[in-house]
Amino acid sequence: METSAETNISRLIKKYAAEVGFDLCGIAPARSLDEHREILKKWAISGMNADMAYLGQNITKRIDPRILIPGAKSIIVTGLSYYTEKKQGGNGVPVISRYAYGINYHSVLKARLNKILAYIRTINSDVIGKAFVDSAPILEKAWGKEAGLGWPGKHSVLINKEIGSFFFLGILIVNIDLDYDKPAEKDNCGSCRLCIDACPTGAINDDRTINCTKCIAYQTLEAKTQIPDEVVVKLEGRAFGCDRCQEACPWNNNSKPNETPEFELPVEVEHMTAGDWKNLTRKDYKRLFKDSAIGRRSYCRFMDNIEAALQIIE
Ligand code: SF4
Ligand code: SF4
């Protein structure tokens, strides 16, 4: 049976994505994700986007990448595991979410996506494309589902049957037609509600959205205002991010540790005591975290997080 040019290029793209280290790669046709319009509107109107007002704006642009990138035809969606069995924290030490252990994932994924783009251009030099990692109004998780990578769990994070949910998503939008994967149709959560029951603050809504005003991850990573008292009392030592709902998910029972050395927790950070965190100077904060996701938070805000986290575990 003859295969089309699109099929051949798509196969080569996926093979190359694996070669540069991605754990997952799927491809979806660019379209307007109209089915997300009302959910986004409702979520923003209810105030659950907290102070991320931008998430409720420009919805037409957010759901249609063809507006963002004129000429967009295909959305290549990649996944890169950040799971590790190493667990920082314990003994009264403030807890950092696994995703922030190593260097900033944006740069790691973007470099790999740009390698894929350069590779595609060796096959067809007319290809124009752009890589996105949390950097534009794109519904990454929805595109992950469209490209067959997995389904959004009740905790709203995308789950892949083989590698679970501890993975980053990276998107490459290109101006050529490719061979497309089937969207992940099946919801493999079934009647399970372990993540909902495990969430310390009751932040998971029934419609698989998250109430950011209650979510520890949002409050410790993104919020520009002080962490609300009702969240502070539920931090249980968490100073940056929260993995609780993902840890509770049975689809993460067999998560394979990542093979990306850049995502390793530095030895110096691993051995920091509660006192070291409490007395972290601005200079050491910069030295240790300037290239990590933690460094995206200001020193003052990060130290507020540490103080709030330690209040409860001291
Ligand atoms: S990240 Fe933490 S606080 Fe947010 S929904 Fe998950 S368990 Fe709840
Ligand atoms: S814990 Fe259960 S309900 Fe939650 S995402 Fe995992 S499978 Fe779905």
Side-chain angles (χ1 to χ4, degrees):
M1 195 176 74
E2 275 190 30
T3 50
S4 67
E6 285 88 0
T7 305
N8 280 333
I9 298 180
S10 303
R11 272 193 200 142
L12 290 170
I13 290 172
K14 287 180 187 174
K15 188 167 170 276
Y16 190 73
E19 277 172 30
V20 298
F22 282 113
D23 297 290
L24 306 169
C25 180
I27 309 175
R31 69 173 180 92
S32 178
L33 297 169
D34 290 318
E35 64 276 28
H36 288 267
R37 188 186 298 275
E38 287 310 310
I39 303 170
L40 275 173
K41 255 195 213 163
K42 203 175 126 202
W43 180 70
I45 288 168
S46 67
M48 292 193 189
N49 52 343
D51 57 7
M52 295 182 289
Y54 63 92
L55 292 178
Q57 293 159 0
N58 299 321
I59 288 182
T60 301
K61 192 173 175 187
R62 292 177 64 73
I63 61 175
D64 191 346
R66 296 168 306 175
I67 300 175
L68 189 68
I69 306 285
K73 295 263 181 67
S74 300
I75 317 290
I76 301 168
V77 189
T78 56
L80 182 62
S81 167
Y82 61 86
Y83 181 73
T84 170
E85 274 160 12
K86 193 179 271 186
K87 215 170 167 190
Q88 173 273 342
N91 295 327
V93 171
V95 180
I96 303 298
S97 179
R98 282 183 184 82
Y99 95 95
Y101 279 8
I103 70 166
N104 195 339
Y105 64 95
H106 295 87
S107 52
V108 176
L109 269 87
K110 210 128 188 218
R112 293 185 188 195
L113 290 166
N114 282 330
K115 275 188 181 173
I116 297 177
L117 179 59
Y119 172 72
I120 300 171
R121 286 175 54 77
T122 64
I123 303 169
N124 178 348
S125 59
D126 292 334
V127 172
I128 297 171
K130 195 158 169 47
F132 296 95
V133 183
D134 273 358
S135 56
I138 291 178
L139 304 182
E140 282 108 343
K141 285 182 266 182
W143 284 111
K145 180 173 184 260
E146 286 290 294
L149 265 56
W151 76 99
K154 290 182 187 170
H155 50 23
S156 98
V157 185
L158 202 71
I159 306 175
N160 174 274
K161 267 179 138 175
E162 269 74 47
I163 69 166
S165 65
F166 288 106
F167 63 90
F168 298 119
L169 283 167
I171 304 259
L172 180 61
I173 300 182
V174 291
N175 66 336
I176 50 166
D177 286 314
L178 291 166
D179 199 33
Y180 300 119
D181 291 280
K182 281 203 186 97
E185 299 287 0
K186 197 163 174 223
D187 168 19
N188 291 296
C189 285
S191 58
C192 173
R193 46 174 293 123
L194 288 171
C195 55
I196 298 171
D197 295 342
C199 175
T201 58
I204 303 177
N205 298 318
D206 287 340
D207 63 357
R208 300 181 189 224
T209 57
I210 299 295
N211 182 347
C212 291
T213 64
K214 290 184 176 180
C215 177
I216 292 169
Y218 167 76
Q219 291 295 337
T220 55
L221 306 178
E222 307 283 352
K224 292 175 189 69
T225 50
Q226 226 179 352
I227 305 174
D229 289 346
E230 57 274 25
V231 175
V232 169
V233 296
K234 304 279 184 181
L235 286 177
E236 296 163 3
R238 295 181 185 86
F240 195 79
C242 169
D243 289 339
R244 189 69 198 97
C245 48
Q246 295 193 79
E247 286 168 347
C249 179
W251 290 100
N252 281 326
N253 288 351
N254 299 316
S255 294
K256 187 173 75 71
N258 76 71
E259 291 174 5
T260 307
E262 293 96 317
F263 295 159
E264 283 293 310
L265 183 66
V267 176
E268 186 176 348
V269 177
E270 188 184 346
H271 292 115
M272 281 172 72
T273 62
D276 292 336
W277 284 101
K278 209 193 291 186
N279 298 314
L280 185 69
T281 62
R282 190 182 286 270
K283 195 172 156 207
D284 280 339
Y285 173 77
K286 275 201 176 147
R287 178 177 63 80
L288 289 167
F289 302 118
K290 70 177 180 347
D291 295 325
S292 91
I294 293 175
R296 294 174 74 202
R297 195 124 175 107
S298 73
Y299 169 71
C300 294
R301 286 239 167 269
F302 182 69
M303 293 312 286
D304 287 347
N305 287 8
I306 297 288
E307 195 187 328
L310 287 174
Q311 263 177 44
I312 306 304
I313 53 176
E314 270 177 344

